[in-house]
Amino acid sequence: MKKLSVFLAVMLAMALLSSACLAEAADPLGKYDEMITVHFVRDTDDTLDANYFSQHPDKTMTDNLWCDLYRDVLNINVEYDWIVKSGDEYDQKLNTAIAVGDIPEFVNVSTLQLKQLVEADAIMPLEEIYEKYASPFAKEIMESTGPSPFNAATIDGHLYGLPNVDSPLMIADLLWVRTDWLEKLGLPIPTTMDEVLATAEAFANADFDGNGVKDTLGIAIAKDLWGQLFSLRGFFNAFDAYPGIWVEDENGNLVYGSTLPGAKDALRTLNEMYKKGLIDPEFGVKDGGKVAEATTAGKCGLFYGAQWNSIYPLQSCVNLDKDAQWRAVSIVSATDKPLKAQTNVGTLSWTVVRKDVAHPEAVMKMFNLFIEKNWGPDNENGIYYAPLDSESIWKLSPVVPTNPHKNDGAFLDLEQYRKDGDESKVQGEALSILKKLQAFESGSEDGFALWGWERIYGAEGAYGVLIDYDAKGMTQDNLFVGAPTETMTSKMSTLTDLQDEVFTKIILGEEDVDAFDKFVSDFNTLGGADITREVNEWYATVK
Amino acid sequence: MHNTAKAPSLSRNGRLKRELPFHLMLLPGVIVVFIYMYIPLSGLIIAFQKFIPAKGLFGNQKWIGWDNFIYLYQLPGAISALRNTVIIAFFKMILHLIIPITVSILLNEIRSSAFRRTAQTLIYLPHFLSWIILGGILIDILSPNGGFVNRILGLFGVQPIFFLGSNDYFRFTLIATDVWKEFGFNTIVYLAAITNIDPNQYEAATIDGANRFQKMIYITLPNMRMIIVLMMVLSLGNVLNAGFDQVFNLYSKQVYSTGDILDTFIYRIGLIDAQFGVATAMGMFKSVISTLFISVSYYCAYRFADYRIF
């Protein structure tokens, strides 16, 4: 008995001591004495398979560079309760998990899911952990686009999710166009909507592969309509409509950008394009990966999408056809109003922690390490972010807080280098990109696999266009950046489903373009009016 | 059991004693039904709540009366989902009766038993493929861009038809593929009924000079009457089940207006959009309508065909 109490006393002392240590030290990159296991869930995608796992068949989701790093540096062992193939599946599976209360320890969620988890009282506030454990450098990076990524996850004054920050600018749409086809047909790079339509029509009617069949598409669209690949956002922006984000009307009130009158004009134009055979009648059933088969096979030369599209899927197009050339150009306006490309809070996911987790700070340490390794002073970006032989390797980390200004910063550094040729000033990620550009310019076989990078960071690269948007004030931010409102949590996804369904039908001519007006009134009766009111109440508090 | 008046004059206790073992044998089944059928019914209260799952079924949920039902009524897809369900299920029910009966009678008339057995096996094979697999196959062979079916149609100068993406064809495709998948299996039931017919009846008819067609009409069909009515009454339970597996694997946004059925609608509202209250309200609505339909058709079967299960 005495032995036992001595043992207990010692244990107690040790426990007190270690907690005291934690309280004082709170080392942002402190290594745990004993290995701890953290359970995440995740999705994977085609780019990881195509760029990483195909080249490293012995690696798995839990045995790779990033998991090793977390184990070695922090003594954190990462495991996944489940892994699914796509973002869609991830949302479905996670929603079900939330519904049945089977919530993972650490999980990346949208703001809607975050709100549901808070309502369910299932996740813990993280503001103290953030204050205590975030390294100064991580704080600098995560706060560099202002407070909105944090506001969006703050409910009743508590921060419930750590933002996997990213650049708001990065998701603005560009117009990707096959310039070798333009040259063949003697067409200019489109600068007005009429020229875009003319280009689409010319592409659809041309027979580039000489098989005697008009089997090229005018413009490619994927079924999810607003993704970062084969999107319609840029097209709607041309008509002064901003699907999915909240913008100010002339009275200074927030309105939902999908319900603006310009959206009707955009739909009418798309339907006219469909009637002319410029749009794939099957687009409603094809996701981005499926549509990518058309660009790869040289059946499509025009679409709206994000800056990274040259790496995936366009790289496979040029791999097959060495004469193919693509270029990202500015989206165009169809009205006399100044053109604005829509952006959003760059952050797409927030990492939340289940209430009963013993080491919630582990995730903040992982954030610190991810940011430190990729953009820290040690210049290890070339190893951990996107090395020459294992593109997309950064996605192997379960948390991906990204330096929002890394890409435009790198592009500007490279622009400077192109002017003065001083390689010594190019550092960090810019340096690893410069090596890729040089490998491509060498004309070697391996270098050609980096064509996609040259299209983003080269002299006529996609990032140049994005930086131009920013410099000229040609962006439309999402003006609602708070946590989801009450009605939004329950009704918004049904409303966006309805919107996508109606828009798809109008484009395909299944419904008349006037169905848009019915959509707007349905939107309002089915909760949209309440959401708009709640959003404006929020807006009044921040204006 | 009907002539209770003449039942032996056992006392109430005596009868209970005699039948007790039977009641006990029934008990496990009743318990299972109670646990899996009746207890979950309590979940219907979700239909009247703003339901937050983590608070638990009997937790402190917010009661909102009929709001979920009103919301459903306003939701543009709900009415068309109901309409689609009824149309698709109705045609499936009818064709699932007519085609297997016809095929079984025709198969029965075939002399070569080797051919008959081969045909029987081949037509009921698709029954064992899941809709997940068939979905993938059908999307390919029905594709307007070089799909097998459209190539064949092309030989006859027909323009490619987008079977799975056109609102004119989607229901037809659903019904046709479902009948194709299941008719072979259903045929077996009727074939079994036909083999039970007394051969003497056919011999007598032959002597009377009946030809094969007349024998079919006057002997085979009337003898199958009971099994046909039984199958019909049993299938009535499916009047609002248009086949979730099939529709879910074949539909897309562009055919929601003709192909979305109650079950897929409930799935999307509940599991994708996480509106559990609304989804439960829809499920409850479906159950009430189904019960109504089944009661009426059961009564009709009794009234017009003098058939009853219990």
Side-chain angles (χ1 to χ4, degrees), chain B residues 258-303:
Chain B
T258 56
D260 195 21
I261 58 169
L262 290 178
D263 290 331
T264 47
F265 187 82
I266 292 170
Y267 166 81
R268 286 204 313 277
I269 297 274
L271 289 184
I272 310 258
D273 299 350
Q275 295 210 53
F276 301 103
V278 181
T280 312
M282 192 64 164
M284 187 171 168
F285 174 74
K286 183 190 155 185
S287 303
V288 171
I289 301 280
S290 292
T291 314
L292 223 73
F293 265 112
I294 293 166
S295 312
V296 170
S297 23
Y298 181 71
Y299 174 76
C300 291
Y302 170 57
R303 187 72 204 278

Short mmCIF file of all heavy atoms in Angstrom, two decimals, chain B residues 258-303:
data_model
loop_
_atom_site.label_atom_id
_atom_site.label_comp_id
_atom_site.label_asym_id
_atom_site.label_seq_id
_atom_site.Cartn_x
_atom_site.Cartn_y
_atom_site.Cartn_z
N THR B 258 -37.27 14.51 -64.86
CA THR B 258 -38.03 13.30 -65.20
C THR B 258 -37.53 12.07 -64.46
O THR B 258 -38.20 11.05 -64.45
CB THR B 258 -37.97 12.97 -66.71
OG1 THR B 258 -36.60 12.86 -67.09
CG2 THR B 258 -38.64 14.03 -67.54
N GLY B 259 -36.34 12.15 -63.88
CA GLY B 259 -35.77 10.93 -63.32
C GLY B 259 -35.59 10.93 -61.81
O GLY B 259 -35.33 9.88 -61.23
N ASP B 260 -35.72 12.09 -61.19
CA ASP B 260 -35.51 12.14 -59.75
C ASP B 260 -36.69 11.49 -59.04
O ASP B 260 -37.82 11.89 -59.26
CB ASP B 260 -35.37 13.61 -59.32
CG ASP B 260 -34.80 13.73 -57.93
OD1 ASP B 260 -34.15 12.77 -57.48
OD2 ASP B 260 -35.01 14.78 -57.30
N ILE B 261 -36.43 10.49 -58.19
CA ILE B 261 -37.53 9.85 -57.49
C ILE B 261 -37.46 10.20 -56.01
O ILE B 261 -36.48 10.77 -55.54
CB ILE B 261 -37.50 8.32 -57.69
CG1 ILE B 261 -36.17 7.75 -57.21
CG2 ILE B 261 -37.75 7.96 -59.13
CD1 ILE B 261 -36.15 6.24 -57.13
N LEU B 262 -38.50 9.84 -55.27
CA LEU B 262 -38.56 10.22 -53.85
C LEU B 262 -37.30 9.79 -53.10
O LEU B 262 -36.74 10.55 -52.31
CB LEU B 262 -39.79 9.61 -53.20
CG LEU B 262 -41.13 10.20 -53.64
CD1 LEU B 262 -42.27 9.48 -52.96
CD2 LEU B 262 -41.17 11.67 -53.28
N ASP B 263 -36.85 8.54 -53.35
CA ASP B 263 -35.72 8.04 -52.58
C ASP B 263 -34.43 8.80 -52.85
O ASP B 263 -33.67 9.09 -51.94
CB ASP B 263 -35.51 6.55 -52.87
CG ASP B 263 -36.64 5.72 -52.29
OD1 ASP B 263 -37.21 6.14 -51.27
OD2 ASP B 263 -36.94 4.66 -52.85
N THR B 264 -34.17 9.13 -54.12
CA THR B 264 -32.96 9.88 -54.42
C THR B 264 -33.08 11.30 -53.87
O THR B 264 -32.12 11.89 -53.40
CB THR B 264 -32.70 9.94 -55.94
OG1 THR B 264 -33.91 10.29 -56.59
CG2 THR B 264 -32.22 8.61 -56.46
N PHE B 265 -34.30 11.83 -53.93
CA PHE B 265 -34.55 13.17 -53.41
C PHE B 265 -34.28 13.21 -51.90
O PHE B 265 -33.57 14.09 -51.40
CB PHE B 265 -36.01 13.53 -53.72
CG PHE B 265 -36.37 14.95 -53.40
CD1 PHE B 265 -36.07 15.96 -54.29
CD2 PHE B 265 -36.99 15.27 -52.21
CE1 PHE B 265 -36.40 17.26 -54.00
CE2 PHE B 265 -37.33 16.57 -51.91
CZ PHE B 265 -37.03 17.57 -52.81
N ILE B 266 -34.80 12.21 -51.20
CA ILE B 266 -34.59 12.14 -49.75
C ILE B 266 -33.10 11.98 -49.44
O ILE B 266 -32.56 12.62 -48.54
CB ILE B 266 -35.38 10.95 -49.16
CG1 ILE B 266 -36.88 11.22 -49.26
CG2 ILE B 266 -34.97 10.69 -47.72
CD1 ILE B 266 -37.74 10.02 -48.93
N TYR B 267 -32.44 11.16 -50.25
CA TYR B 267 -31.01 10.96 -50.05
C TYR B 267 -30.25 12.28 -50.16
O TYR B 267 -29.43 12.61 -49.31
CB TYR B 267 -30.49 9.96 -51.09
CG TYR B 267 -28.99 9.92 -51.21
CD1 TYR B 267 -28.22 9.19 -50.30
CD2 TYR B 267 -28.34 10.63 -52.21
CE1 TYR B 267 -26.85 9.18 -50.39
CE2 TYR B 267 -26.95 10.62 -52.31
CZ TYR B 267 -26.22 9.89 -51.40
OH TYR B 267 -24.86 9.89 -51.49
N ARG B 268 -30.56 13.05 -51.20
CA ARG B 268 -29.82 14.30 -51.39
C ARG B 268 -30.09 15.31 -50.29
O ARG B 268 -29.18 15.91 -49.73
CB ARG B 268 -30.17 14.93 -52.75
CG ARG B 268 -29.55 14.23 -53.93
CD ARG B 268 -29.44 15.18 -55.12
NE ARG B 268 -30.67 15.91 -55.35
CZ ARG B 268 -31.70 15.43 -56.02
NH1 ARG B 268 -31.63 14.24 -56.53
NH2 ARG B 268 -32.78 16.15 -56.17
N ILE B 269 -31.39 15.47 -49.98
CA ILE B 269 -31.74 16.43 -48.94
C ILE B 269 -31.14 16.01 -47.59
O ILE B 269 -30.61 16.83 -46.85
CB ILE B 269 -33.28 16.53 -48.79
CG1 ILE B 269 -33.88 17.04 -50.08
CG2 ILE B 269 -33.66 17.40 -47.61
CD1 ILE B 269 -33.92 18.52 -50.20
N GLY B 270 -31.23 14.71 -47.30
CA GLY B 270 -30.80 14.26 -45.97
C GLY B 270 -29.30 14.10 -45.86
O GLY B 270 -28.66 14.71 -45.01
N LEU B 271 -28.73 13.29 -46.74
CA LEU B 271 -27.32 12.94 -46.54
C LEU B 271 -26.36 13.93 -47.17
O LEU B 271 -25.25 14.10 -46.70
CB LEU B 271 -27.04 11.53 -47.07
CG LEU B 271 -27.66 10.44 -46.19
CD1 LEU B 271 -27.27 9.07 -46.68
CD2 LEU B 271 -27.24 10.61 -44.74
N ILE B 272 -26.76 14.60 -48.25
CA ILE B 272 -25.84 15.55 -48.87
C ILE B 272 -26.02 16.93 -48.23
O ILE B 272 -25.09 17.56 -47.80
CB ILE B 272 -26.07 15.65 -50.38
CG1 ILE B 272 -26.09 14.27 -50.98
CG2 ILE B 272 -25.04 16.56 -51.03
CD1 ILE B 272 -24.88 13.83 -51.69
N ASP B 273 -27.28 17.39 -48.18
CA ASP B 273 -27.51 18.73 -47.67
C ASP B 273 -27.65 18.76 -46.15
O ASP B 273 -27.77 19.82 -45.57
CB ASP B 273 -28.77 19.33 -48.30
CG ASP B 273 -28.65 19.45 -49.81
OD1 ASP B 273 -27.53 19.25 -50.31
OD2 ASP B 273 -29.65 19.74 -50.48
N ALA B 274 -27.70 17.58 -45.52
CA ALA B 274 -27.81 17.48 -44.06
C ALA B 274 -29.05 18.17 -43.51
O ALA B 274 -29.05 18.69 -42.41
CB ALA B 274 -26.55 18.02 -43.38
N GLN B 275 -30.14 18.20 -44.29
CA GLN B 275 -31.42 18.73 -43.78
C GLN B 275 -32.26 17.54 -43.30
O GLN B 275 -33.19 17.12 -43.97
CB GLN B 275 -32.16 19.47 -44.88
CG GLN B 275 -31.46 20.71 -45.36
CD GLN B 275 -32.45 21.74 -45.84
OE1 GLN B 275 -33.38 22.09 -45.14
NE2 GLN B 275 -32.26 22.22 -47.05
N PHE B 276 -31.93 17.05 -42.13
CA PHE B 276 -32.51 15.78 -41.69
C PHE B 276 -34.01 15.90 -41.45
O PHE B 276 -34.77 14.98 -41.75
CB PHE B 276 -31.80 15.29 -40.44
CG PHE B 276 -30.34 15.07 -40.66
CD1 PHE B 276 -29.41 15.98 -40.21
CD2 PHE B 276 -29.90 13.98 -41.38
CE1 PHE B 276 -28.07 15.80 -40.46
CE2 PHE B 276 -28.56 13.78 -41.63
CZ PHE B 276 -27.64 14.70 -41.16
N GLY B 277 -34.44 17.05 -40.92
CA GLY B 277 -35.87 17.25 -40.66
C GLY B 277 -36.67 17.15 -41.94
O GLY B 277 -37.67 16.44 -42.02
N VAL B 278 -36.21 17.86 -42.98
CA VAL B 278 -36.93 17.87 -44.25
C VAL B 278 -36.95 16.48 -44.86
O VAL B 278 -37.98 16.01 -45.36
CB VAL B 278 -36.28 18.88 -45.22
CG1 VAL B 278 -37.05 18.92 -46.51
CG2 VAL B 278 -36.23 20.26 -44.59
N ALA B 279 -35.80 15.79 -44.81
CA ALA B 279 -35.72 14.45 -45.40
C ALA B 279 -36.67 13.49 -44.68
O ALA B 279 -37.35 12.70 -45.32
CB ALA B 279 -34.29 13.94 -45.33
N THR B 280 -36.74 13.60 -43.37
CA THR B 280 -37.64 12.72 -42.62
C THR B 280 -39.09 13.03 -42.96
O THR B 280 -39.91 12.12 -43.11
CB THR B 280 -37.42 12.89 -41.11
OG1 THR B 280 -36.04 12.83 -40.84
CG2 THR B 280 -38.13 11.79 -40.34
N ALA B 281 -39.39 14.33 -43.10
CA ALA B 281 -40.75 14.71 -43.47
C ALA B 281 -41.13 14.07 -44.79
O ALA B 281 -42.23 13.53 -44.96
CB ALA B 281 -40.86 16.23 -43.56
N MET B 282 -40.18 14.10 -45.75
CA MET B 282 -40.44 13.50 -47.06
C MET B 282 -40.64 12.00 -46.91
O MET B 282 -41.56 11.42 -47.52
CB MET B 282 -39.26 13.79 -47.99
CG MET B 282 -39.52 13.48 -49.43
SD MET B 282 -40.83 14.52 -50.09
CE MET B 282 -40.61 14.31 -51.82
N GLY B 283 -39.80 11.35 -46.11
CA GLY B 283 -39.91 9.91 -45.90
C GLY B 283 -41.25 9.56 -45.28
O GLY B 283 -41.91 8.60 -45.68
N MET B 284 -41.70 10.39 -44.34
CA MET B 284 -42.97 10.14 -43.67
C MET B 284 -44.11 10.29 -44.66
O MET B 284 -45.02 9.45 -44.71
CB MET B 284 -43.12 11.15 -42.54
CG MET B 284 -44.30 10.91 -41.66
SD MET B 284 -44.18 12.00 -40.23
CE MET B 284 -45.81 11.78 -39.58
N PHE B 285 -44.02 11.34 -45.45
CA PHE B 285 -45.02 11.57 -46.48
C PHE B 285 -45.12 10.36 -47.40
O PHE B 285 -46.19 9.86 -47.70
CB PHE B 285 -44.62 12.81 -47.27
CG PHE B 285 -45.47 13.11 -48.46
CD1 PHE B 285 -46.75 13.61 -48.30
CD2 PHE B 285 -44.99 12.88 -49.73
CE1 PHE B 285 -47.53 13.89 -49.39
CE2 PHE B 285 -45.78 13.15 -50.83
CZ PHE B 285 -47.05 13.66 -50.66
N LYS B 286 -43.97 9.85 -47.80
CA LYS B 286 -43.93 8.69 -48.68
C LYS B 286 -44.60 7.48 -48.04
O LYS B 286 -45.38 6.77 -48.67
CB LYS B 286 -42.46 8.36 -49.03
CG LYS B 286 -42.32 7.21 -49.99
CD LYS B 286 -40.88 6.76 -50.13
CE LYS B 286 -40.87 5.30 -50.56
NZ LYS B 286 -39.55 4.73 -50.62
N SER B 287 -44.32 7.25 -46.75
CA SER B 287 -44.88 6.10 -46.07
C SER B 287 -46.40 6.19 -45.99
O SER B 287 -47.10 5.20 -46.20
CB SER B 287 -44.31 6.00 -44.66
OG SER B 287 -42.93 5.92 -44.73
N VAL B 288 -46.88 7.40 -45.69
CA VAL B 288 -48.33 7.57 -45.56
C VAL B 288 -49.01 7.27 -46.89
O VAL B 288 -49.97 6.52 -46.98
CB VAL B 288 -48.67 8.99 -45.07
CG1 VAL B 288 -50.15 9.24 -45.15
CG2 VAL B 288 -48.16 9.18 -43.66
N ILE B 289 -48.46 7.85 -47.97
CA ILE B 289 -49.04 7.62 -49.30
C ILE B 289 -48.98 6.14 -49.66
O ILE B 289 -49.95 5.56 -50.16
CB ILE B 289 -48.28 8.45 -50.37
CG1 ILE B 289 -48.34 9.93 -50.02
CG2 ILE B 289 -48.85 8.18 -51.74
CD1 ILE B 289 -49.61 10.61 -50.38
N SER B 290 -47.84 5.49 -49.37
CA SER B 290 -47.69 4.07 -49.69
C SER B 290 -48.76 3.26 -48.99
O SER B 290 -49.40 2.40 -49.60
CB SER B 290 -46.32 3.56 -49.25
OG SER B 290 -45.32 4.14 -50.01
N THR B 291 -48.94 3.51 -47.70
CA THR B 291 -49.92 2.75 -46.92
C THR B 291 -51.30 2.88 -47.56
O THR B 291 -52.03 1.90 -47.72
CB THR B 291 -49.98 3.30 -45.49
OG1 THR B 291 -48.65 3.46 -45.02
CG2 THR B 291 -50.72 2.36 -44.58
N LEU B 292 -51.61 4.11 -47.97
CA LEU B 292 -52.89 4.36 -48.60
C LEU B 292 -53.05 3.54 -49.87
O LEU B 292 -54.03 2.81 -50.05
CB LEU B 292 -52.96 5.86 -48.95
CG LEU B 292 -54.28 6.53 -48.66
CD1 LEU B 292 -54.42 6.71 -47.16
CD2 LEU B 292 -54.31 7.88 -49.36
N PHE B 293 -52.04 3.64 -50.74
CA PHE B 293 -52.06 2.91 -52.00
C PHE B 293 -52.23 1.41 -51.76
O PHE B 293 -53.05 0.75 -52.39
CB PHE B 293 -50.73 3.11 -52.74
CG PHE B 293 -50.76 4.21 -53.74
CD1 PHE B 293 -50.03 5.37 -53.53
CD2 PHE B 293 -51.50 4.08 -54.90
CE1 PHE B 293 -50.05 6.39 -54.46
CE2 PHE B 293 -51.52 5.09 -55.83
CZ PHE B 293 -50.79 6.26 -55.61
N ILE B 294 -51.44 0.89 -50.85
CA ILE B 294 -51.44 -0.55 -50.63
C ILE B 294 -52.79 -1.01 -50.10
O ILE B 294 -53.34 -2.02 -50.56
CB ILE B 294 -50.30 -0.94 -49.65
CG1 ILE B 294 -48.96 -0.67 -50.32
CG2 ILE B 294 -50.39 -2.41 -49.27
CD1 ILE B 294 -47.80 -0.69 -49.37
N SER B 295 -53.36 -0.23 -49.18
CA SER B 295 -54.65 -0.63 -48.63
C SER B 295 -55.70 -0.69 -49.72
O SER B 295 -56.46 -1.66 -49.83
CB SER B 295 -55.11 0.35 -47.55
OG SER B 295 -54.06 0.59 -46.66
N VAL B 296 -55.72 0.35 -50.55
CA VAL B 296 -56.73 0.39 -51.61
C VAL B 296 -56.53 -0.77 -52.57
O VAL B 296 -57.48 -1.48 -52.91
CB VAL B 296 -56.65 1.74 -52.37
CG1 VAL B 296 -57.52 1.69 -53.62
CG2 VAL B 296 -57.08 2.86 -51.46
N SER B 297 -55.29 -1.01 -53.01
CA SER B 297 -55.11 -2.05 -54.00
C SER B 297 -55.34 -3.44 -53.40
O SER B 297 -55.83 -4.33 -54.07
CB SER B 297 -53.73 -1.97 -54.66
OG SER B 297 -52.83 -1.31 -53.84
N TYR B 298 -55.04 -3.58 -52.13
CA TYR B 298 -55.30 -4.86 -51.49
C TYR B 298 -56.80 -5.12 -51.45
O TYR B 298 -57.28 -6.22 -51.74
CB TYR B 298 -54.73 -4.86 -50.07
CG TYR B 298 -54.94 -6.17 -49.35
CD1 TYR B 298 -54.23 -7.30 -49.75
CD2 TYR B 298 -55.84 -6.26 -48.31
CE1 TYR B 298 -54.44 -8.50 -49.10
CE2 TYR B 298 -56.06 -7.46 -47.66
CZ TYR B 298 -55.35 -8.58 -48.06
OH TYR B 298 -55.56 -9.77 -47.43
N TYR B 299 -57.55 -4.05 -51.16
CA TYR B 299 -58.99 -4.18 -51.13
C TYR B 299 -59.51 -4.55 -52.52
O TYR B 299 -60.36 -5.43 -52.67
CB TYR B 299 -59.63 -2.87 -50.65
CG TYR B 299 -61.13 -2.88 -50.73
CD1 TYR B 299 -61.88 -3.58 -49.78
CD2 TYR B 299 -61.79 -2.22 -51.76
CE1 TYR B 299 -63.26 -3.61 -49.86
CE2 TYR B 299 -63.17 -2.25 -51.85
CZ TYR B 299 -63.90 -2.94 -50.90
OH TYR B 299 -65.27 -2.96 -50.99
N CYS B 300 -58.93 -3.91 -53.55
CA CYS B 300 -59.36 -4.19 -54.92
C CYS B 300 -59.08 -5.64 -55.30
O CYS B 300 -59.91 -6.30 -55.91
CB CYS B 300 -58.66 -3.27 -55.91
SG CYS B 300 -59.21 -1.58 -55.77
N ALA B 301 -57.89 -6.12 -54.91
CA ALA B 301 -57.53 -7.49 -55.24
C ALA B 301 -58.54 -8.45 -54.60
O ALA B 301 -58.94 -9.45 -55.20
CB ALA B 301 -56.12 -7.80 -54.76
N TYR B 302 -58.97 -8.13 -53.40
CA TYR B 302 -59.94 -8.97 -52.69
C TYR B 302 -61.30 -8.89 -53.39
O TYR B 302 -61.94 -9.90 -53.66
CB TYR B 302 -60.04 -8.50 -51.24
CG TYR B 302 -61.18 -9.14 -50.48
CD1 TYR B 302 -61.27 -10.54 -50.38
CD2 TYR B 302 -62.14 -8.36 -49.87
CE1 TYR B 302 -62.30 -11.12 -49.69
CE2 TYR B 302 -63.19 -8.94 -49.18
CZ TYR B 302 -63.27 -10.32 -49.09
OH TYR B 302 -64.29 -10.90 -48.41
N ARG B 303 -61.67 -7.67 -53.73
CA ARG B 303 -62.98 -7.42 -54.28
C ARG B 303 -63.14 -8.04 -55.66
O ARG B 303 -64.12 -8.71 -55.95
CB ARG B 303 -63.16 -5.90 -54.34
CG ARG B 303 -64.50 -5.40 -54.73
CD ARG B 303 -65.48 -5.63 -53.61
NE ARG B 303 -66.83 -5.68 -54.16
CZ ARG B 303 -67.53 -4.58 -54.44
NH1 ARG B 303 -67.04 -3.40 -54.16
NH2 ARG B 303 -68.72 -4.67 -54.96
#
